[in-house]
mmCIF file with all atom_site columns, all heavy atoms in Angstrom:
data_model
loop_
_atom_site.group_PDB
_atom_site.id
_atom_site.type_symbol
_atom_site.label_atom_id
_atom_site.label_alt_id
_atom_site.label_comp_id
_atom_site.label_asym_id
_atom_site.label_entity_id
_atom_site.label_seq_id
_atom_site.pdbx_PDB_ins_code
_atom_site.Cartn_x
_atom_site.Cartn_y
_atom_site.Cartn_z
_atom_site.occupancy
_atom_site.B_iso_or_equiv
_atom_site.pdbx_formal_charge
_atom_site.auth_seq_id
_atom_site.auth_comp_id
_atom_site.auth_asym_id
_atom_site.auth_atom_id
_atom_site.pdbx_PDB_model_num
ATOM 1   N N   . ASN J 1 55  ? 28.788 0.682   -8.363  1.00 0.00 ? 55  ASN J N   1
ATOM 2   C CA  . ASN J 1 55  ? 28.528 0.475   -9.784  1.00 0.00 ? 55  ASN J CA  1
ATOM 3   C C   . ASN J 1 55  ? 27.040 0.382   -10.091 1.00 0.00 ? 55  ASN J C   1
ATOM 4   O O   . ASN J 1 55  ? 26.648 0.223   -11.241 1.00 0.00 ? 55  ASN J O   1
ATOM 5   C CB  . ASN J 1 55  ? 29.236 -0.793  -10.279 1.00 0.00 ? 55  ASN J CB  1
ATOM 6   C CG  . ASN J 1 55  ? 28.823 -2.023  -9.504  1.00 0.00 ? 55  ASN J CG  1
ATOM 7   O OD1 . ASN J 1 55  ? 28.920 -2.052  -8.283  1.00 0.00 ? 55  ASN J OD1 1
ATOM 8   N ND2 . ASN J 1 55  ? 28.361 -3.056  -10.201 1.00 0.00 ? 55  ASN J ND2 1
ATOM 9   N N   . LYS J 1 64  ? 27.809 10.531  -5.196  1.00 0.00 ? 64  LYS J N   1
ATOM 10  C CA  . LYS J 1 64  ? 27.856 11.923  -5.653  1.00 0.00 ? 64  LYS J CA  1
ATOM 11  C C   . LYS J 1 64  ? 27.344 12.881  -4.573  1.00 0.00 ? 64  LYS J C   1
ATOM 12  O O   . LYS J 1 64  ? 27.963 13.920  -4.299  1.00 0.00 ? 64  LYS J O   1
ATOM 13  C CB  . LYS J 1 64  ? 26.983 12.099  -6.903  1.00 0.00 ? 64  LYS J CB  1
ATOM 14  C CG  . LYS J 1 64  ? 27.479 11.424  -8.179  1.00 0.00 ? 64  LYS J CG  1
ATOM 15  C CD  . LYS J 1 64  ? 26.396 11.527  -9.247  1.00 0.00 ? 64  LYS J CD  1
ATOM 16  C CE  . LYS J 1 64  ? 26.744 10.788  -10.523 1.00 0.00 ? 64  LYS J CE  1
ATOM 17  N NZ  . LYS J 1 64  ? 27.612 11.595  -11.405 1.00 0.00 ? 64  LYS J NZ  1
ATOM 18  N N   . GLU J 1 88  ? 30.901 4.522   -15.827 1.00 0.00 ? 88  GLU J N   1
ATOM 19  C CA  . GLU J 1 88  ? 29.812 5.022   -16.663 1.00 0.00 ? 88  GLU J CA  1
ATOM 20  C C   . GLU J 1 88  ? 28.850 5.895   -15.871 1.00 0.00 ? 88  GLU J C   1
ATOM 21  O O   . GLU J 1 88  ? 28.067 6.654   -16.457 1.00 0.00 ? 88  GLU J O   1
ATOM 22  C CB  . GLU J 1 88  ? 29.051 3.848   -17.286 1.00 0.00 ? 88  GLU J CB  1
ATOM 23  C CG  . GLU J 1 88  ? 29.899 3.013   -18.248 1.00 0.00 ? 88  GLU J CG  1
ATOM 24  C CD  . GLU J 1 88  ? 29.104 1.867   -18.845 1.00 0.00 ? 88  GLU J CD  1
ATOM 25  O OE1 . GLU J 1 88  ? 27.876 1.809   -18.607 1.00 0.00 ? 88  GLU J OE1 1
ATOM 26  O OE2 . GLU J 1 88  ? 29.710 1.033   -19.536 1.00 0.00 ? 88  GLU J OE2 1
ATOM 27  N N   . CYS J 1 119 ? 34.819 3.539   9.385   1.00 0.00 ? 119 CYS J N   1
ATOM 28  C CA  . CYS J 1 119 ? 33.736 4.335   8.793   1.00 0.00 ? 119 CYS J CA  1
ATOM 29  C C   . CYS J 1 119 ? 32.709 4.765   9.850   1.00 0.00 ? 119 CYS J C   1
ATOM 30  O O   . CYS J 1 119 ? 32.402 4.028   10.778  1.00 0.00 ? 119 CYS J O   1
ATOM 31  C CB  . CYS J 1 119 ? 33.023 3.537   7.708   1.00 0.00 ? 119 CYS J CB  1
ATOM 32  S SG  . CYS J 1 119 ? 34.033 3.249   6.233   1.00 0.00 ? 119 CYS J SG  1
ATOM 33  N N   . ARG J 1 140 ? 17.176 -18.707 -5.392  1.00 0.00 ? 140 ARG J N   1
ATOM 34  C CA  . ARG J 1 140 ? 18.555 -18.753 -4.909  1.00 0.00 ? 140 ARG J CA  1
ATOM 35  C C   . ARG J 1 140 ? 19.106 -17.344 -4.695  1.00 0.00 ? 140 ARG J C   1
ATOM 36  O O   . ARG J 1 140 ? 19.788 -17.077 -3.703  1.00 0.00 ? 140 ARG J O   1
ATOM 37  C CB  . ARG J 1 140 ? 19.426 -19.520 -5.914  1.00 0.00 ? 140 ARG J CB  1
ATOM 38  C CG  . ARG J 1 140 ? 20.928 -19.471 -5.652  1.00 0.00 ? 140 ARG J CG  1
ATOM 39  C CD  . ARG J 1 140 ? 21.290 -20.146 -4.352  1.00 0.00 ? 140 ARG J CD  1
ATOM 40  N NE  . ARG J 1 140 ? 22.736 -20.137 -4.139  1.00 0.00 ? 140 ARG J NE  1
ATOM 41  C CZ  . ARG J 1 140 ? 23.320 -20.469 -2.993  1.00 0.00 ? 140 ARG J CZ  1
ATOM 42  N NH1 . ARG J 1 140 ? 22.575 -20.832 -1.953  1.00 0.00 ? 140 ARG J NH1 1
ATOM 43  N NH2 . ARG J 1 140 ? 24.625 -20.452 -2.868  1.00 0.00 ? 140 ARG J NH2 1
ATOM 44  N N   . ARG J 1 150 ? 22.961 -10.056 6.069   1.00 0.00 ? 150 ARG J N   1
ATOM 45  C CA  . ARG J 1 150 ? 23.504 -10.507 7.350   1.00 0.00 ? 150 ARG J CA  1
ATOM 46  C C   . ARG J 1 150 ? 24.997 -10.152 7.461   1.00 0.00 ? 150 ARG J C   1
ATOM 47  O O   . ARG J 1 150 ? 25.453 -9.668  8.502   1.00 0.00 ? 150 ARG J O   1
ATOM 48  C CB  . ARG J 1 150 ? 23.309 -12.013 7.497   1.00 0.00 ? 150 ARG J CB  1
ATOM 49  C CG  . ARG J 1 150 ? 23.874 -12.569 8.815   1.00 0.00 ? 150 ARG J CG  1
ATOM 50  C CD  . ARG J 1 150 ? 23.687 -14.078 8.913   1.00 0.00 ? 150 ARG J CD  1
ATOM 51  N NE  . ARG J 1 150 ? 22.282 -14.423 9.114   1.00 0.00 ? 150 ARG J NE  1
ATOM 52  C CZ  . ARG J 1 150 ? 21.494 -14.963 8.191   1.00 0.00 ? 150 ARG J CZ  1
ATOM 53  N NH1 . ARG J 1 150 ? 21.987 -15.224 6.979   1.00 0.00 ? 150 ARG J NH1 1
ATOM 54  N NH2 . ARG J 1 150 ? 20.245 -15.249 8.462   1.00 0.00 ? 150 ARG J NH2 1
ATOM 55  N N   . LYS J 1 163 ? 28.587 2.353   14.668  1.00 0.00 ? 163 LYS J N   1
ATOM 56  C CA  . LYS J 1 163 ? 27.735 1.260   14.189  1.00 0.00 ? 163 LYS J CA  1
ATOM 57  C C   . LYS J 1 163 ? 26.432 1.823   13.634  1.00 0.00 ? 163 LYS J C   1
ATOM 58  O O   . LYS J 1 163 ? 25.352 1.654   14.200  1.00 0.00 ? 163 LYS J O   1
ATOM 59  C CB  . LYS J 1 163 ? 27.444 0.280   15.327  1.00 0.00 ? 163 LYS J CB  1
ATOM 60  C CG  . LYS J 1 163 ? 28.677 -0.447  15.849  1.00 0.00 ? 163 LYS J CG  1
ATOM 61  C CD  . LYS J 1 163 ? 28.266 -1.437  16.939  1.00 0.00 ? 163 LYS J CD  1
ATOM 62  C CE  . LYS J 1 163 ? 29.446 -2.186  17.502  1.00 0.00 ? 163 LYS J CE  1
ATOM 63  N NZ  . LYS J 1 163 ? 29.032 -3.185  18.516  1.00 0.00 ? 163 LYS J NZ  1
ATOM 64  N N   . ARG J 1 212 ? 13.094 -10.814 3.080   1.00 0.00 ? 212 ARG J N   1
ATOM 65  C CA  . ARG J 1 212 ? 13.969 -11.626 3.927   1.00 0.00 ? 212 ARG J CA  1
ATOM 66  C C   . ARG J 1 212 ? 15.225 -10.862 4.318   1.00 0.00 ? 212 ARG J C   1
ATOM 67  O O   . ARG J 1 212 ? 15.664 -10.925 5.478   1.00 0.00 ? 212 ARG J O   1
ATOM 68  C CB  . ARG J 1 212 ? 14.351 -12.920 3.194   1.00 0.00 ? 212 ARG J CB  1
ATOM 69  C CG  . ARG J 1 212 ? 13.202 -13.884 3.017   1.00 0.00 ? 212 ARG J CG  1
ATOM 70  C CD  . ARG J 1 212 ? 13.643 -15.170 2.331   1.00 0.00 ? 212 ARG J CD  1
ATOM 71  N NE  . ARG J 1 212 ? 14.670 -15.866 3.112   1.00 0.00 ? 212 ARG J NE  1
ATOM 72  C CZ  . ARG J 1 212 ? 15.257 -16.978 2.722   1.00 0.00 ? 212 ARG J CZ  1
ATOM 73  N NH1 . ARG J 1 212 ? 14.936 -17.517 1.554   1.00 0.00 ? 212 ARG J NH1 1
ATOM 74  N NH2 . ARG J 1 212 ? 16.149 -17.569 3.471   1.00 0.00 ? 212 ARG J NH2 1
ATOM 75  N N   . ALA J 1 217 ? 18.435 -8.249  8.445   1.00 0.00 ? 217 ALA J N   1
ATOM 76  C CA  . ALA J 1 217 ? 19.208 -7.081  8.871   1.00 0.00 ? 217 ALA J CA  1
ATOM 77  C C   . ALA J 1 217 ? 18.732 -6.569  10.226  1.00 0.00 ? 217 ALA J C   1
ATOM 78  O O   . ALA J 1 217 ? 19.548 -6.242  11.104  1.00 0.00 ? 217 ALA J O   1
ATOM 79  C CB  . ALA J 1 217 ? 19.104 -5.977  7.813   1.00 0.00 ? 217 ALA J CB  1
ATOM 80  N N   . GLU J 1 223 ? 21.000 -7.841  17.543  1.00 0.00 ? 223 GLU J N   1
ATOM 81  C CA  . GLU J 1 223 ? 21.986 -8.697  18.193  1.00 0.00 ? 223 GLU J CA  1
ATOM 82  C C   . GLU J 1 223 ? 23.299 -7.962  18.436  1.00 0.00 ? 223 GLU J C   1
ATOM 83  O O   . GLU J 1 223 ? 23.909 -8.085  19.513  1.00 0.00 ? 223 GLU J O   1
ATOM 84  C CB  . GLU J 1 223 ? 22.242 -9.924  17.314  1.00 0.00 ? 223 GLU J CB  1
ATOM 85  C CG  . GLU J 1 223 ? 23.335 -10.852 17.817  1.00 0.00 ? 223 GLU J CG  1
ATOM 86  C CD  . GLU J 1 223 ? 23.670 -11.931 16.806  1.00 0.00 ? 223 GLU J CD  1
ATOM 87  O OE1 . GLU J 1 223 ? 22.801 -12.288 15.979  1.00 0.00 ? 223 GLU J OE1 1
ATOM 88  O OE2 . GLU J 1 223 ? 24.824 -12.426 16.815  1.00 0.00 ? 223 GLU J OE2 1
ATOM 89  N N   . GLY J 1 296 ? 7.968  8.897   -5.182  1.00 0.00 ? 296 GLY J N   1
ATOM 90  C CA  . GLY J 1 296 ? 7.717  10.237  -5.703  1.00 0.00 ? 296 GLY J CA  1
ATOM 91  C C   . GLY J 1 296 ? 6.356  10.360  -6.352  1.00 0.00 ? 296 GLY J C   1
ATOM 92  O O   . GLY J 1 296 ? 5.695  11.393  -6.265  1.00 0.00 ? 296 GLY J O   1
ATOM 93  N N   . THR J 1 300 ? -1.758 6.048   -10.868 1.00 0.00 ? 300 THR J N   1
ATOM 94  C CA  . THR J 1 300 ? -3.187 5.891   -10.543 1.00 0.00 ? 300 THR J CA  1
ATOM 95  C C   . THR J 1 300 ? -4.094 5.875   -11.762 1.00 0.00 ? 300 THR J C   1
ATOM 96  O O   . THR J 1 300 ? -5.294 5.629   -11.621 1.00 0.00 ? 300 THR J O   1
ATOM 97  C CB  . THR J 1 300 ? -3.648 7.023   -9.601  1.00 0.00 ? 300 THR J CB  1
ATOM 98  O OG1 . THR J 1 300 ? -3.442 8.284   -10.253 1.00 0.00 ? 300 THR J OG1 1
ATOM 99  C CG2 . THR J 1 300 ? -2.864 6.999   -8.291  1.00 0.00 ? 300 THR J CG2 1
ATOM 100 N N   . SER J 1 355 ? 17.338 25.843  7.495   1.00 0.00 ? 355 SER J N   1
ATOM 101 C CA  . SER J 1 355 ? 17.023 27.269  7.409   1.00 0.00 ? 355 SER J CA  1
ATOM 102 C C   . SER J 1 355 ? 17.612 28.034  8.586   1.00 0.00 ? 355 SER J C   1
ATOM 103 O O   . SER J 1 355 ? 17.901 29.228  8.479   1.00 0.00 ? 355 SER J O   1
ATOM 104 C CB  . SER J 1 355 ? 15.502 27.468  7.359   1.00 0.00 ? 355 SER J CB  1
ATOM 105 O OG  . SER J 1 355 ? 14.901 27.077  8.572   1.00 0.00 ? 355 SER J OG  1
#
Side-chain angles (χ1 to χ4, degrees):
N55 57 305
K64 291 172 185 277
E88 296 180 7
C119 291
R140 171 64 178 169
R150 179 181 289 107
K163 295 182 180 182
R212 291 182 60 182
E223 175 188 334
T300 60
S355 66

